[in-house]
Amino acid sequence: MIRKKDISQEEKDKIIDYQLRFQDVLISISTKYINSDLSNIDELIENSLKTIGEFVKADRSYIFSYNFTNNTTSNTYEWCANGIGAEIENLQNIPLDYITQWLEAHRKGEAFYVEDVSLLPDDGELGLRAILEPQGIQSLIAIPKIKNGELIGFIGFDSVRQLHKYSENEKNILFVFANMLVNVIQRKEQEELIKQQKEKKEELLKYLSNQNEQLNDYAQMVSHDLKAPLINIHTLVTWFLDDHKQIINQKALTTLHEVLFNVEKMDFLIKGILEYSIVNKLESNDKQIDLNELVNAVIKLILVPENFTIKVQENLPKLFGNTWRFNQIFQNLIQNAVKYNDKEQGIIEVGFFDEQSHFKFFVKDNGKGIGAKYFEKIFKVFTKLENIDTSSGIGLSTVKKIVDFYNGEVWLESEKKIGTTFYFTIPKNL
């Protein structure tokens, strides 16, 4: 009685030891999966099939994928022990009708297990026994592969040299291995998808960059080509007016002045297109810019009317950047503040706030104001709220493009008949 108890305990110890070693094998495989970049996923899977196959004393281990569109299954990976013939080439596009019992178990999420193939019913040349016996299989187990609740294939283990009885614990551990394989394959698919999306994104960005470059080049070419005839038209009309001002009637005079007005309007538009197109193309002439000097120079350039008062905050910061770009920002904002002011005494304020990571500048006026529904629209190219002057409708678009170039933001606050304040930020670490 003592001896039987000792043997029983010895068998229990063996079972426990086997399970622990099996778990260690799975941990080792899992660690390799996690630490690998999966560029050699085929080798990883084949090595893991070999490792598990040898551990459970199988003669052949393999992976199949189900194709429910074509109602077939195909062998995708295979490991064979020494002296065991490979079957992967013979097991492609196998009709699912040949393995109905097999498939039925997998659809339920269960393993398909045949302890002794010779005991299967002899159900003809298309039956399961007729498929397995020519491969020399005596025992097999096939564990379903399930991804996101969907059956996608199975992992199988064949015993060719002898019968093999799988315990419930072995089955459970093989299910864990099947889930590991599903996860690593899914991870590889996700990496490939991310890689493809990244490549497509890079291609799209390159394409858009090229298109933008071509559009900018075209805009400059067309603008330059249009400049010459406009100058000629303006010159000829001016000469005509000077030479015939004594004999031209009022109606003709009005028409000719309308021509000059539209020529000037077109000239402003062309100038705006040129300025907008070169925002991102300026060669690197960055330097330290004293905004106090720059803003004062802009104000003199604009020729502010006498009924305007412009208050510029003292000690504006110095920024490292391109002089032309910052000149465009302040020129367009101050010029608009002058142009769209309907008050007898126009007041414009220019200043800034020193924030933690950036400077927040503002240009404030007491002009007509802008309706809230136009706050986003006015930054779009060729958008104008009024069509009564020579404005190109590109000024604020240029401002936004420059601020975007410096990774800043631009916005406004406004109230009709009260005035408007434009804000824009520029990071300190340019």
Side-chain angles (χ1 to χ4, degrees):
M1 294 293 292
I2 295 176
R3 183 172 180 76
K4 285 184 179 180
K5 184 176 182 180
D6 290 342
I7 293 174
S8 177
Q9 185 61 49
E10 183 179 348
E11 289 298 325
K12 288 180 181 178
D13 290 343
K14 285 183 179 180
I15 292 172
I16 293 172
D17 178 66
Y18 179 82
Q19 290 177 0
L20 291 174
R21 286 188 294 113
F22 205 165
Q23 290 172 9
D24 287 341
V25 169
L26 286 181
I27 291 172
S28 175
I29 292 172
S30 177
T31 301
K32 290 179 181 178
Y33 284 170
I34 293 171
N35 294 330
S36 172
D37 62 2
L38 301 187
S39 59
N40 59 340
I41 186 171
D42 291 342
E43 183 179 344
L44 281 171
I45 292 176
E46 288 167 359
N47 286 340
S48 63
L49 284 175
K50 178 178 183 294
T51 300
I52 296 293
E54 288 178 339
F55 192 87
V56 299
K57 295 181 173 58
D59 298 304
R60 187 186 293 117
S61 56
Y62 44 83
I63 298 175
F64 272 68
S65 292
Y66 281 126
N67 185 332
F68 293 111
T69 302
N70 298 329
N71 284 317
T72 60
T73 184
S74 295
N75 194 177
T76 54
Y77 293 93
E78 181 186 57
W79 165 80
C80 296
N82 291 333
I84 302 299
E87 295 289 343
I88 189 169
E89 296 297 330
N90 303 322
L91 298 172
Q92 301 300 313
N93 299 313
I94 304 299
L96 295 182
D97 293 341
Y98 291 5
I99 55 169
T100 53
Q101 297 168 297
W102 196 307
L103 181 59
E104 184 180 352
H106 288 171
R107 287 190 187 279
K108 295 177 182 178
E110 300 172 356
F112 180 73
Y113 174 42
V114 180
E115 184 176 345
D116 189 343
V117 170
S118 66
L119 298 180
L120 289 172
D122 187 358
D123 47 3
E125 60 180 7
L126 299 181
L128 184 59
R129 180 173 175 178
I131 294 174
L132 300 179
E133 281 189 333
Q135 301 175 52
I137 299 172
Q138 296 191 49
S139 302
L140 74 82
I141 188 169
I143 309 293
K145 285 197 311 172
I146 298 173
K147 182 176 74 172
N148 300 326
E150 179 184 357
L151 178 64
I152 61 171
F154 59 88
I155 301 164
F157 299 87
D158 293 346
S159 298
V160 176
R161 295 187 177 98
Q162 61 185 12
L163 296 174
H164 185 101
K165 183 175 182 179
Y166 286 91
S167 68
E168 287 301 314
N169 286 325
E170 280 183 306
K171 292 179 185 177
N172 291 334
I173 294 175
L174 289 177
F175 266 99
V176 174
F177 176 60
N179 289 332
M180 286 169 51
L181 272 177
V182 170
N183 290 335
V184 76
I185 292 172
Q186 189 170 16
R187 181 181 150 205
K188 178 64 174 178
E189 290 173 350
Q190 290 171 343
E191 286 186 2
E192 288 294 330
L193 181 60
I194 292 171
K195 182 180 177 181
Q196 291 173 9
Q197 291 174 338
K198 185 177 179 181
E199 289 174 351
K200 287 181 180 179
K201 180 181 177 181
E202 290 175 352
E203 288 178 5
L204 179 60
L205 289 175
K206 185 177 179 180
Y207 172 78
L208 291 175
S209 177
N210 290 336
Q211 290 296 308
N212 190 50
E213 187 77 14
Q214 291 176 20
L215 285 172
N216 285 338
D217 291 342
Y218 179 74
Q220 291 188 62
M221 179 186 70
V222 171
S223 298
H224 281 298
D225 289 347
L226 287 174
K227 274 280 189 180
L230 282 177
I231 293 172
N232 289 337
I233 293 171
H234 192 280
T235 302
L236 289 171
V237 172
T238 303
W239 286 352
F240 185 85
L241 285 170
D242 289 342
D243 293 343
H244 300 85
K245 57 185 176 183
Q246 301 297 332
I247 60 175
I248 299 176
N249 61 40
Q250 188 60 42
K251 183 177 180 181
L253 191 63
T254 301
T255 301
L256 289 172
H257 279 297
E258 185 71 22
V259 171
L260 288 178
F261 175 81
N262 282 286
V263 168
E264 291 173 3
K265 190 173 182 179
M266 178 65 76
D267 186 58
F268 275 108
L269 179 59
I270 292 171
K271 182 182 177 183
I273 293 173
L274 276 171
E275 291 172 348
Y276 185 80
S277 68
I278 65 173
V279 167
N280 296 332
K281 296 187 65 176
L282 293 175
E283 295 182 2
S284 181
N285 292 319
D286 292 349
K287 63 179 183 179
Q288 197 76 10
I289 303 171
D290 187 334
L291 292 183
N292 298 283
E293 296 177 2
L294 185 142
V295 171
N296 287 329
V298 166
I299 293 171
K300 291 178 182 178
L301 179 67
I302 293 174
L303 298 175
V304 180
E306 293 183 358
N307 66 320
F308 273 81
T309 300
I310 299 184
K311 303 175 183 179
V312 181
Q313 183 177 333
E314 295 182 357
N315 300 320
L316 292 176
K318 293 181 180 180
L319 293 177
F320 186 79
N322 181 277
T323 303
W324 181 89
R325 290 192 179 103
F326 284 104
N327 188 83
Q328 285 293 308
I329 292 176
F330 285 102
Q331 181 177 323
N332 279 298
L333 292 178
I334 296 173
Q335 198 164 262
N336 279 357
V338 172
K339 184 181 295 185
Y340 300 109
N341 197 303
D342 57 352
K343 305 298 189 298
E344 290 185 8
Q345 293 296 320
I347 300 174
I348 299 172
E349 298 177 43
V350 179
F352 81 105
F353 299 97
D354 190 345
E355 307 287 351
Q356 184 175 359
S357 61
H358 59 271
F359 295 111
K360 182 170 77 172
F361 297 93
F362 64 86
V363 176
K364 181 179 181 181
D365 65 61
N366 66 335
K368 298 178 180 180
I370 301 171
K373 65 180 180 180
Y374 298 109
F375 283 7
E376 296 294 330
K377 183 179 179 181
I378 59 174
F379 290 109
K380 296 181 180 179
V381 182
F382 303 127
T383 297
K384 296 191 294 182
L385 301 186
E386 298 179 4
N387 196 31
I388 59 174
D389 54 55
T390 55
S391 172
S392 66
I394 299 177
L396 290 178
S397 303
T398 302
V399 169
K400 186 177 188 311
K401 191 172 183 181
I402 294 171
V403 173
D404 287 345
F405 177 85
Y406 285 117
N407 296 317
E409 296 180 14
V410 60
W411 69 98
L412 70 147
E413 295 175 358
S414 185
E415 188 174 347
K416 295 287 285 184
K417 299 182 180 181
I418 301 297
T420 301
T421 304
F422 280 91
Y423 295 94
F424 67 92
T425 61
I426 300 293
K428 292 182 178 180
N429 59 342
L430 289 178

Coordinates of all heavy atoms in Angstrom, one line a residue, residues 265 269 273 276 332 336 339-340 370-371 373-398 400 412 422:
K265 N -6.7 97.8 -59.0 CA -7.3 96.7 -58.3 C -6.6 95.4 -58.7 O -6.2 94.6 -57.8 CB -8.8 96.6 -58.6 CG -9.5 95.7 -57.7 CD -11.0 95.8 -57.9 CE -11.8 94.9 -57.0 NZ -13.3 95.0 -57.2
L269 N -4.1 92.8 -56.6 CA -4.4 91.4 -56.5 C -3.2 90.6 -56.9 O -2.8 89.6 -56.2 CB -5.6 91.1 -57.5 CG -5.9 89.6 -57.6 CD1 -6.4 89.0 -56.2 CD2 -7.0 89.4 -58.6
I273 N -1.1 88.0 -54.6 CA -0.8 86.6 -55.0 C 0.7 86.3 -54.9 O 1.1 85.3 -54.4 CB -1.3 86.3 -56.4 CG1 -2.8 86.4 -56.5 CG2 -0.8 85.0 -56.9 CD1 -3.4 86.3 -57.9
Y276 N 1.6 86.1 -51.2 CA 1.1 84.9 -50.6 C 1.9 83.6 -51.1 O 2.2 82.7 -50.3 CB -0.4 84.7 -51.0 CG -1.1 83.5 -50.3 CD1 -1.5 83.6 -49.0 CD2 -1.2 82.3 -51.0 CE1 -2.2 82.6 -48.4 CE2 -1.9 81.3 -50.4 CZ -2.3 81.4 -49.1 OH -3.0 80.3 -48.5
N332 N -0.3 94.3 -43.0 CA -1.7 93.9 -43.4 C -2.7 94.2 -42.3 O -3.8 94.7 -42.6 CB -1.7 92.4 -43.8 CG -1.3 92.1 -45.2 OD1 -1.9 92.6 -46.1 ND2 -0.2 91.4 -45.3
N336 N -5.4 97.2 -42.7 CA -6.9 96.9 -42.6 C -7.6 97.7 -41.5 O -8.7 98.2 -41.7 CB -7.1 95.4 -42.3 CG -6.9 94.6 -43.6 OD1 -6.8 95.1 -44.7 ND2 -7.0 93.2 -43.4
K339 N -8.0 101.1 -43.1 CA -8.9 101.0 -44.3 C -10.4 100.9 -43.9 O -11.3 101.5 -44.5 CB -8.5 99.9 -45.2 CG -9.3 99.9 -46.5 CD -8.8 98.7 -47.4 CE -7.4 98.9 -47.8 NZ -6.9 97.9 -48.8
Y340 N -10.7 100.0 -42.9 CA -12.0 99.7 -42.6 C -12.5 100.4 -41.3 O -13.2 99.8 -40.4 CB -12.2 98.2 -42.5 CG -11.9 97.5 -43.7 CD1 -10.8 96.7 -43.9 CD2 -12.7 97.7 -44.9 CE1 -10.4 96.1 -45.1 CE2 -12.4 97.0 -46.1 CZ -11.3 96.3 -46.2 OH -11.0 95.7 -47.4
I370 N -16.6 93.4 -37.2 CA -16.9 92.2 -38.1 C -17.9 91.3 -37.5 O -17.7 91.0 -36.3 CB -15.6 91.5 -38.5 CG1 -14.6 92.4 -39.1 CG2 -15.8 90.3 -39.4 CD1 -13.2 91.8 -39.2
G371 N -18.9 90.8 -38.2 CA -19.8 89.9 -37.7 C -19.2 88.5 -37.4 O -18.3 88.1 -38.1
K373 N -20.0 85.5 -37.8 CA -20.1 84.5 -38.8 C -19.0 84.6 -39.8 O -18.8 83.7 -40.6 CB -21.5 84.5 -39.5 CG -21.7 85.8 -40.3 CD -23.1 85.8 -41.0 CE -23.4 87.0 -41.8 NZ -24.7 87.0 -42.4
Y374 N -18.3 85.7 -39.9 CA -17.2 85.9 -40.8 C -15.8 85.7 -40.2 O -14.8 85.8 -40.9 CB -17.2 87.3 -41.4 CG -18.5 87.6 -42.2 CD1 -19.4 88.5 -41.7 CD2 -18.7 87.0 -43.4 CE1 -20.5 88.8 -42.4 CE2 -19.9 87.3 -44.1 CZ -20.8 88.2 -43.6 OH -21.9 88.5 -44.3
F375 N -15.7 85.3 -38.9 CA -14.4 85.2 -38.2 C -13.5 84.2 -38.9 O -12.3 84.4 -39.0 CB -14.6 84.8 -36.8 CG -15.1 86.0 -35.9 CD1 -15.4 87.2 -36.4 CD2 -15.2 85.8 -34.5 CE1 -15.9 88.2 -35.6 CE2 -15.6 86.9 -33.7 CZ -16.0 88.1 -34.3
E376 N -14.0 83.1 -39.3 CA -13.2 82.1 -40.0 C -13.0 82.4 -41.5 O -11.9 82.2 -42.1 CB -13.8 80.7 -39.8 CG -13.8 80.2 -38.4 CD -12.5 80.0 -37.8 OE1 -11.5 79.7 -38.6 OE2 -12.3 80.2 -36.6
K377 N -14.1 82.9 -42.1 CA -14.1 83.1 -43.5 C -13.1 84.1 -44.0 O -12.5 83.9 -45.1 CB -15.5 83.5 -43.9 CG -15.7 83.7 -45.4 CD -17.1 84.2 -45.7 CE -17.3 84.4 -47.2 NZ -18.7 84.9 -47.6
I378 N -12.8 85.2 -43.2 CA -12.0 86.2 -43.7 C -10.5 85.8 -43.9 O -9.7 86.5 -44.5 CB -12.0 87.5 -42.8 CG1 -11.6 87.1 -41.3 CG2 -13.4 88.1 -42.8 CD1 -11.5 88.3 -40.4
F379 N -10.1 84.7 -43.3 CA -8.7 84.2 -43.4 C -8.5 83.4 -44.7 O -7.4 82.9 -45.0 CB -8.3 83.4 -42.2 CG -8.2 84.2 -41.0 CD1 -9.1 84.1 -39.9 CD2 -7.1 85.1 -40.8 CE1 -8.9 84.9 -38.8 CE2 -7.0 85.9 -39.7 CZ -7.9 85.8 -38.7
K380 N -9.6 83.1 -45.4 CA -9.5 82.4 -46.7 C -9.1 83.3 -47.8 O -9.4 84.4 -47.9 CB -10.8 81.7 -47.0 CG -11.2 80.6 -45.9 CD -12.5 80.0 -46.3 CE -12.9 78.9 -45.3 NZ -14.2 78.3 -45.6
V381 N -8.3 82.7 -48.8 CA -7.8 83.5 -49.9 C -8.9 84.1 -50.7 O -10.0 83.4 -51.0 CB -6.9 82.6 -50.8 CG1 -6.3 83.4 -51.9 CG2 -5.8 82.0 -50.0
F382 N -8.7 85.3 -51.1 CA -9.7 86.1 -52.0 C -11.0 86.4 -51.3 O -11.9 86.8 -52.0 CB -9.9 85.3 -53.3 CG -8.7 85.0 -54.1 CD1 -8.4 83.7 -54.5 CD2 -7.8 86.0 -54.4 CE1 -7.3 83.4 -55.2 CE2 -6.6 85.7 -55.1 CZ -6.4 84.4 -55.5
T383 N -11.0 86.3 -50.0 CA -12.3 86.6 -49.3 C -12.3 88.1 -48.9 O -11.3 88.5 -48.2 CB -12.5 85.7 -48.1 OG1 -12.6 84.4 -48.5 CG2 -13.7 86.1 -47.3
K384 N -13.3 88.8 -49.2 CA -13.4 90.2 -48.8 C -14.9 90.4 -48.4 O -15.8 89.9 -48.9 CB -13.1 91.2 -50.0 CG -11.7 91.1 -50.5 CD -11.4 92.3 -51.5 CE -12.2 92.1 -52.7 NZ -11.9 93.2 -53.7
L385 N -15.0 91.2 -47.3 CA -16.4 91.5 -46.8 C -17.0 92.7 -47.6 O -18.2 92.8 -47.6 CB -16.3 91.9 -45.3 CG -15.7 90.8 -44.4 CD1 -15.9 91.2 -43.0 CD2 -16.4 89.4 -44.7
E386 N -16.1 93.5 -48.2 CA -16.6 94.6 -49.0 C -15.9 94.6 -50.4 O -14.7 94.2 -50.4 CB -16.4 95.9 -48.3 CG -17.1 96.1 -47.0 CD -16.8 97.4 -46.3 OE1 -16.1 98.2 -47.0 OE2 -17.3 97.6 -45.2
N387 N -16.6 95.0 -51.4 CA -16.0 95.0 -52.8 C -16.0 96.4 -53.4 O -16.3 96.6 -54.5 CB -16.7 94.0 -53.7 CG -15.9 93.6 -54.9 OD1 -14.7 93.6 -54.9 ND2 -16.6 93.4 -56.0
I388 N -15.6 97.3 -52.5 CA -15.6 98.7 -53.0 C -14.3 99.3 -53.1 O -14.1 100.5 -53.2 CB -16.5 99.5 -52.0 CG1 -15.9 99.4 -50.6 CG2 -17.9 99.1 -52.0 CD1 -16.6 100.3 -49.5
D389 N -13.2 98.6 -52.9 CA -11.9 99.1 -53.0 C -11.0 98.2 -53.8 O -11.4 97.2 -54.4 CB -11.3 99.4 -51.6 CG -11.3 98.1 -50.8 OD1 -10.8 97.1 -51.2 OD2 -11.9 98.2 -49.7
T390 N -9.7 98.6 -53.8 CA -8.7 97.8 -54.6 C -8.1 96.6 -53.8 O -7.1 96.0 -54.2 CB -7.6 98.7 -55.1 OG1 -7.0 99.4 -53.9 CG2 -8.1 99.7 -56.1
S391 N -8.6 96.3 -52.6 CA -8.1 95.3 -51.8 C -8.1 93.9 -52.6 O -9.1 93.6 -53.3 CB -9.0 95.1 -50.5 OG -8.6 94.0 -49.8
S392 N -7.1 93.2 -52.4 CA -6.9 91.9 -53.1 C -7.7 90.7 -52.4 O -8.0 89.7 -53.0 CB -5.4 91.5 -53.1 OG -4.9 91.2 -51.8
G393 N -8.0 90.9 -51.1 CA -8.6 89.8 -50.4 C -7.7 88.7 -50.0 O -8.0 87.6 -49.6
I394 N -6.3 89.0 -50.0 CA -5.3 88.1 -49.7 C -4.5 88.4 -48.5 O -3.9 87.6 -47.9 CB -4.3 87.9 -50.9 CG1 -5.1 87.4 -52.2 CG2 -3.2 86.9 -50.7 CD1 -4.3 87.3 -53.4
G395 N -4.7 89.7 -48.0 CA -3.9 90.1 -46.9 C -4.0 89.3 -45.6 O -3.0 88.8 -45.1
L396 N -5.2 89.0 -45.2 CA -5.4 88.2 -44.0 C -5.0 86.7 -44.2 O -4.5 86.1 -43.3 CB -6.8 88.3 -43.5 CG -7.2 89.7 -42.9 CD1 -8.7 89.6 -42.4 CD2 -6.3 90.0 -41.7
S397 N -5.1 86.3 -45.4 CA -4.7 84.9 -45.8 C -3.2 84.8 -45.7 O -2.6 83.8 -45.2 CB -5.1 84.5 -47.2 OG -6.5 84.6 -47.3
T398 N -2.5 85.9 -46.1 CA -1.0 85.9 -46.0 C -0.6 85.9 -44.5 O 0.3 85.3 -44.1 CB -0.5 87.1 -46.7 OG1 -0.9 87.1 -48.1 CG2 1.0 87.2 -46.6
K400 N -2.3 84.7 -42.0 CA -2.5 83.4 -41.4 C -1.4 82.4 -41.9 O -0.9 81.6 -41.1 CB -3.8 82.8 -41.8 CG -4.2 81.5 -41.1 CD -5.6 81.0 -41.4 CE -5.9 79.8 -40.6 NZ -4.9 78.8 -40.5
L412 N -9.5 86.5 -34.0 CA -10.0 87.9 -33.7 C -11.1 87.9 -32.8 O -11.9 86.9 -32.6 CB -10.4 88.5 -35.0 CG -11.6 88.0 -35.7 CD1 -12.3 89.2 -36.5 CD2 -11.3 86.9 -36.7
F422 N -7.3 91.9 -33.6 CA -6.7 90.7 -34.2 C -5.6 90.3 -33.2 O -4.8 91.1 -32.8 CB -6.1 90.9 -35.5 CG -7.1 90.9 -36.6 CD1 -7.8 92.1 -37.0 CD2 -7.4 89.7 -37.3 CE1 -8.8 92.0 -38.0 CE2 -8.4 89.7 -38.3 CZ -9.1 90.8 -38.6

